[in-house]
Amino acid sequence: MTPMTDPGGLRTITIEGNSSGPHLLITAGVHGDEFTSIAAVRTLAQTVTSSELTGRLTLVPIANRAAVLRGERTAEDGLDLARVCPGIPEGSITERTAAALSALIRSADAYIDLHTGSSTMSVMPLVGYTLHRDDTVLNRQRQMALNFNLPAVWGTSPDLEGRTLSVARDAGIPAIYAEFLGAGVLSDQGVEAYVDGCRNVMGLLGMVDREQPECRIGYVFEDERPGSGHMQVQNPSPATGFFRAVVELGDRVRPGDRIGRVVNIDDDTVTDIVCEVEGIVIVIWTFPVIHEGDSAFVILEIPENPTPPEED
Ligand SMILES: [Zn+2]
């Protein structure tokens, strides 16, 4: 294991296998308040050994160090690292980090980016990928996502820009990302699921001997609409006040269902949040206070009996 710091300030940990093979990059902490992902990559750094490994594993436990030190999503320049890739080498702190991270992504043969919900929201455990226009890359991404083995698998628009996965897309490198709860909480269950998921993908890539565990996937869904996969713009809260969800992650909801309520902090007026679409609840605001316009829920619009994509 070789800890080092590259010129862009990213601390990487490289584990060289005992024979040559693929180079897999796994990153966490692109956002500074996503602690389960960081703990999972730290665990991988402590547990994956050269003797069991074919190829090279590069780990970045904390992509956005400045944001982690603040305990917030972004560094002090307020820029979102997952919106400014491929970055600017001479730019602000987040732009520089994006440039270093993007160079690292381009050096890999496959890429996994681990996230969670932010400190104010929780995300259903899921793994996602872009609906890449190159079928070879797309099929590889699908297989990596399926092997990762979280409850939901979500293929989305290939046209979102600024993400780590946008850099991988442009370089033709198969890439997936994952989400596991959040709300500022470090989930031991999430760490275990992420470590298992990464090892499953390493098994798929021929980097470790690994028997794929029993399938835990409940939903596989692909959505090619422009903007699909963007989690921050849906179901804005109609009011400011104390917030409570009345549904849980993974619940199926329909138009007209009451899914949350906001109580005005001055006069106790109650505003219901009513669902407008049919689908599965995949993101819930968790902080006790919400402001008008904050995204209270994300509903993954899926048909009653979704057709899984064909496996190759
Ligand atoms: Zn994130």
Side-chain angles (χ1 to χ4, degrees), residues 89-211:
E90 313 302 325
S92 71
I93 183 162
T94 303
E95 290 168 331
R96 292 198 303 275
T97 304
L101 185 57
S102 299
L104 198 54
I105 292 167
R106 293 188 198 104
S107 77
D109 298 313
Y111 177 40
I112 302 172
D113 190 15
L114 300 177
H115 289 249
T116 70
S118 71
S119 49
T120 57
M121 64 171 77
S122 195
V123 185
M124 178 174 169
L126 64 84
V127 55
Y129 53 95
T130 62
L131 295 170
H132 204 285
R133 293 193 171 87
D134 180 320
D135 277 343
T136 307
V137 177
L138 175 56
N139 287 328
R140 196 61 162 170
Q141 294 186 154
R142 272 187 190 135
Q143 201 57 55
M144 287 166 67
L146 292 169
N147 275 57
F148 201 93
N149 205 21
L150 290 181
V153 176
W154 193 21
T156 55
S157 168
D159 296 325
L160 295 178
E161 298 298 338
R163 272 72 167 177
T164 55
L165 260 56
S166 318
V167 176
R169 173 203 65 201
D170 291 347
I173 294 160
I176 59 174
Y177 73 95
E179 301 278 0
F180 202 107
L181 305 180
V185 173
L186 200 168
S187 160
D188 290 334
Q189 194 196 353
V191 172
E192 195 178 323
Y194 272 177
V195 169
D196 282 350
C198 290
R199 281 190 170 272
N200 293 345
V201 172
M202 290 164 68
L204 172 74
L205 299 176
M207 297 176 72
V208 291
D209 278 332
R210 172 103 177 154
E211 196 177 321

Side-chain angles (χ1 to χ4, degrees), residues 30-31 33-34 73 80 82 114-118 178-179 232:
V30 162
H31 296 124
D33 56 358
E34 302 183 350
R73 184 174 171 87
D80 186 334
L114 300 177
H115 289 249
T116 70
S118 71
E179 301 278 0
Q232 269 113 40

